[in-house]
Amino acid sequence: MSARVQLASIAGVILSLPARLVEPAMSGIQRGLGIKRMPWVFLLPNLVAVVLFALLPVFINVFYSMSGSDRLFPWDRPFVGGANYQSLLDCTNYLDPSTCSRDLFWRALGNTLVFVPVQVICMIAIALLTAICLNRDIVGRGFFRGIFFFPVMLSPVVVALTWQWILQRNGALNGLISAAGLTPVNWLVFPNTAFFWSVFVTVWAHMGFYTIILLAGLQAIPRDVYEAAKMDSATPWRVFTRITLPLLKPVMLVVFILAVIRSVQTFDELYVLTGGGPGSATMLMVQYIYEVGFASQPRNFGLASAASLFLGLALLIFTGIQMRISRGGNND
Amino acid sequence: MTDLSAPKSALSIREFATLRRGRKKSDWTDWLTYLYLFLGLVVMFTPVLWVAISSFKTPANLTEFPPTILPYAAQTVTVEGYDEPLPLFEVVGEDGETRQLAQLRRVGIQAQMIDPANPEERIVVPVGDATPVRQLYFATENYTNLLTSSGGQIWRYLFNSLFITAVATAITLVMNSMAAFALSKYRFRGSGIALVSILATLMIPATVVLVPTYMIVAQLGLVGNLWGVILPTVATPTGVFLLRQYMLTIPDELIEAARMDHASEWRIFWRIILPLSSPALAVVAIFSILSRWNDFLLPLVVLTRRESYTLQLALASFQTEYGVRYEILLAMTTLTALPLAFAFIFLQRYITSGIASTGIK
């Protein structure tokens, strides 16, 4: 008996219980409204949830970013126009965060601007290398695929605590280092090493996801293209740059955009691993939004909304540019 | 996809270990591949293994540096006339002979010890001459303490996590498949707009709408309530998209035949379309379970009361509250990771192929 059939039958048994009540009700609705309106009945629950928790919040967010005070509900909040944006942008020297009235915002922005490209490039490079290795005729491919994917399943909190345990002063890494005769390092106490490990840990946790997508892309490349290259006795490097990369380009684009969107939203791992520290060395934008809007008193929802709109706008522009570039490339 | 790792019949171990498809000879790129993959195995897997092993160490063993690989604990011995078990030490005597003695108490650099075989005579030993006798010991009390400490709160967190995951996934599946059914099997005015507005939410990062989402949850009176994290997450655009694409491949003749038999639209959906979509439903379910179980930011904002904490929130707050109690923290980390590790072992094939099929449109 296949696992698929088993899963389906278990789901079937569970789902049939409330169905006995729903079916007469839905038949009644159909008799009342007529068959033409039924698709809207099916759509309704999902549409309500989408509008309430995704589309409407975008508009409310715009209002939030233009209103002040620490009151939560929009009707309690006085309209302040661009004051929140002004406060975020209030700097005497834009290259030096400490001259800004919201210096933490600029530090978080700066960190994000360094973190995202470094993390995405490292992650995709490693994921691609891993996918290429896993695409070869090797023994135990399924096993290795599972191993590289495994951390994706772990919750970010578990990931962060795992690495914290390894990186702490008396941790396993320092144990290895001192066994090799070197002096142990306080990895998460210095800004530079903390930043390195924040990139490392997020790459470790998420690369498996992109490896699987890239692997599927690699397997979609027809084998005879490689056979032909072999006939022409092309070097492996040439095969990689002239065949694999160009044919993988559409998949790479998907992976790239997904990776950037995820990377910009990084929060959980670093919040638990470093708490944004030391100082503000690993504080990214989402944590800034959380700190300003939820963790600090008084809660500044207006500022948090303004910052999150910045983030959304930046993502939109980035995705647009990416799409444009890829389309331009295909026309050549 | 064929499973390359499956052993073909009647191969010797050596033949199996060097088994290759097609070509006979291994070249340097193969060795490089294996080297990389084994390095990956170490980097990807040992951290998790290390935490699992560490969770069985006693507090004294955990603070040791350099850390021991396996969990050890000081060996104790019960001696007649003493209620408590005494720690056992290996002592080098003046004659160069080593003896195992039990320590009574330590005074400065001197320790009072007794020979377990001869409890009457007290021996004073310099501390420097004594090393504790240790044995392999799995401190399972880390786990039992965790499960019983603070009135078994952990069961509450576990229940909250399970409740959120199960209920949100069930609602997601029903709601998404209803919408997908409408968008794939009917022609009606406005279907295009509905599809676009659902898919457009793909482009909205959850953090961007964090504040208004929280406001709506608060307005519904659901702050600190498990439903406050369930409702905002149930309408997933990827789920609708995936299920719709799958349902498009189900032939419409089935529906027409059912209508001939006067089946209601709901009956057609529930009895015909839904069972036929089970492979796609399985993928959506796995995605939903994974993301709901691991969710952190929304619960952190919405679940403000301690009784409503999920495992992830409790784990994160453990770190600050009992920062020094690593044995409890590590046990809880292992426990939180365990359900998914088991799920992964059984579902690995579905998960990896499911992700591969959804990543590329």
Side-chain angles (χ1 to χ4, degrees), chain A residues 3-4 7-8 15-16 19 22-23 26-27 30 35 38-43 45-47 49-50 52-55 57-58 60-61 64 72-75 126 129-130 133-134 136-158 161-166 169-172 174-175 178 184 200 204 207 209 212-213 216-217 219 223 230 251 254 265 267-268 271-272 286 290 294 299 301 304-305 308 311-312 315-316 319, chain B residues 1 4-5 16-17 19-21 23 27 29-30 33-34 36-38 40-41 43-45 47-48 50-51 54 62-67 174-176 178-179 181-183 186 188-190 194 197-198 201 203-220 231-232 234-235 240 259 264-267 269-271 278-279 282 290 294 296-297 300-301 312 315-316 319 326 329-330 333 336-337 340-341 344 348 350-352 355-356 359-360:
Chain A
R4 179 174 293 182
L7 257 180
L15 292 179
S16 70
V22 174
E23 205 168 306
M26 290 301 269
S27 304
Q30 190 182 334
I35 200 165
M38 279 313 280
W40 286 107
V41 176
F42 281 107
L43 265 177
N46 207 71
L47 273 188
V50 162
L52 197 59
F53 290 109
L55 296 180
V58 175
I60 301 176
N61 211 17
Y64 263 108
L72 178 59
F73 295 109
W75 43 89
I126 295 172
L129 185 61
T130 311
C133 286
L134 290 175
R136 297 171 63 92
D137 292 342
I138 50 162
V139 182
R141 196 161 67 159
F143 168 75
F144 281 113
R145 194 176 58 180
I147 286 295
F148 280 95
F149 185 77
F150 180 67
V152 179
M153 303 272 299
L154 296 174
S155 78
V157 183
V158 168
L161 290 176
T162 298
W163 281 99
Q164 206 178 44
W165 175 240
I166 287 167
R169 184 101 186 73
N170 292 338
N174 278 338
S178 63
F200 181 92
W204 183 86
M207 65 157 276
F209 180 80
I212 296 298
I213 298 179
Q219 283 173 351
R223 283 201 170 253
K230 209 173 194 177
V251 182
V254 171
Q265 294 195 65
F267 170 72
D268 336 25
Y271 178 72
V272 179
V286 176
Y290 170 73
F294 295 95
R299 298 171 160 200
F301 294 116
S305 291
S308 65
L311 195 69
L315 266 181
L316 207 65
T319 317
Chain B
M1 199 191 315
L4 292 172
S5 60
F16 172 67
L19 187 67
R20 307 185 41 73
R21 202 170 63 171
R23 290 168 294 144
D27 63 6
T29 52
D30 290 314
T33 305
Y34 280 114
Y36 176 81
L37 289 180
F38 276 103
L41 177 74
V43 174
M44 301 312 272
F45 202 61
V48 181
W50 177 246
V51 166
S54 299
L62 282 173
T63 51
E64 260 174 64
F65 187 82
V174 173
M175 243 167 62
N176 282 358
M178 278 168 72
F181 175 60
L183 292 171
Y186 294 95
F188 60 102
R189 275 167 64 93
S197 56
I198 290 172
T201 60
M203 298 296 289
I204 306 169
T207 37
V208 171
V209 292
L210 187 63
V211 175
T213 303
Y214 176 75
M215 189 276 287
I216 291 169
V217 169
Q219 179 62 24
L220 293 172
L231 293 181
V234 285
V240 176
R259 280 197 190 125
S264 71
E265 297 303 302
W266 177 263
R267 208 179 162 82
F269 163 67
W270 198 261
R271 296 290 163 86
S278 50
L290 259 185
N294 290 338
F296 187 71
L297 183 58
L300 181 69
V301 166
Q312 316 295 342
L315 189 53
Q319 177 212 13
Y326 265 117
L329 185 68
L330 291 170
T333 308
T336 313
L340 285 186
F344 178 68
Q348 192 259 118
Y350 288 99
I351 295 166
T352 48
I355 285 173
I360 305 143

Side-chain angles (χ1 to χ4, degrees), chain A residues 17-271:
Chain A
L17 298 174
R20 287 175 192 284
L21 299 168
V22 174
E23 205 168 306
M26 290 301 269
S27 304
I29 292 171
Q30 190 182 334
R31 250 174 276 125
L33 291 175
I35 200 165
K36 284 246 168 187
R37 298 203 181 96
M38 279 313 280
W40 286 107
V41 176
F42 281 107
L43 265 177
L44 194 70
N46 207 71
L47 273 188
V48 168
V50 162
V51 169
L52 197 59
F53 290 109
L55 296 180
L56 198 59
V58 175
F59 297 103
I60 301 176
N61 211 17
V62 176
F63 171 75
Y64 263 108
S65 71
M66 292 191 272
S67 64
S69 92
D70 61 341
R71 309 296 290 272
L72 178 59
F73 295 109
W75 43 89
D76 295 337
R77 297 175 61 82
F79 186 79
V80 296
N84 286 318
Y85 293 98
Q86 238 164 23
S87 153
L88 284 181
L89 295 173
D90 178 23
C91 289
T92 43
N93 175 7
Y94 282 102
L95 294 176
D96 181 8
S98 56
T99 63
C100 300
S101 66
R102 301 285 173 187
D103 59 325
L104 211 52
F105 170 76
W106 289 92
R107 283 181 213 280
L109 186 68
N111 287 341
T112 309
L113 286 179
V114 180
F115 178 84
V116 171
V118 171
Q119 197 247 6
V120 167
I121 289 169
C122 288
M123 182 157 69
I124 290 181
I126 295 172
L128 184 60
L129 185 61
T130 311
I132 288 170
C133 286
L134 290 175
N135 196 36
R136 297 171 63 92
D137 292 342
I138 50 162
V139 182
R141 196 161 67 159
F143 168 75
F144 281 113
R145 194 176 58 180
I147 286 295
F148 280 95
F149 185 77
F150 180 67
V152 179
M153 303 272 299
L154 296 174
S155 78
V157 183
V158 168
V159 168
L161 290 176
T162 298
W163 281 99
Q164 206 178 44
W165 175 240
I166 287 167
L167 297 174
Q168 50 128 345
R169 184 101 186 73
N170 292 338
L173 186 68
N174 278 338
L176 282 179
I177 281 176
S178 63
L182 302 167
T183 33
V185 181
N186 246 341
W187 294 109
L188 297 176
V189 171
F190 302 110
N192 285 337
T193 52
F195 193 83
F196 167 80
W197 285 108
S198 69
V199 172
F200 181 92
V201 170
T202 47
V203 168
W204 183 86
H206 296 298
M207 65 157 276
F209 180 80
Y210 302 98
T211 303
I212 296 298
I213 298 179
L214 288 171
L215 186 60
L218 284 175
Q219 283 173 351
I221 299 175
R223 283 201 170 253
D224 43 351
V225 185
Y226 288 110
E227 301 288 329
K230 209 173 194 177
M231 292 289 198
D232 297 340
S233 58
T235 61
W237 177 250
R238 216 176 152 74
V239 170
F240 175 70
T241 52
R242 296 296 169 86
I243 298 176
T244 308
L245 272 189
L247 288 176
L248 206 59
K249 206 177 159 191
V251 182
M252 285 287 271
L253 180 73
V254 171
V255 164
F256 204 71
I257 289 177
L258 279 180
V260 170
I261 292 176
R262 282 264 209 95
S263 179
V264 169
Q265 294 195 65
T266 305
F267 170 72
D268 336 25
E269 285 102 351
L270 300 192
Y271 178 72

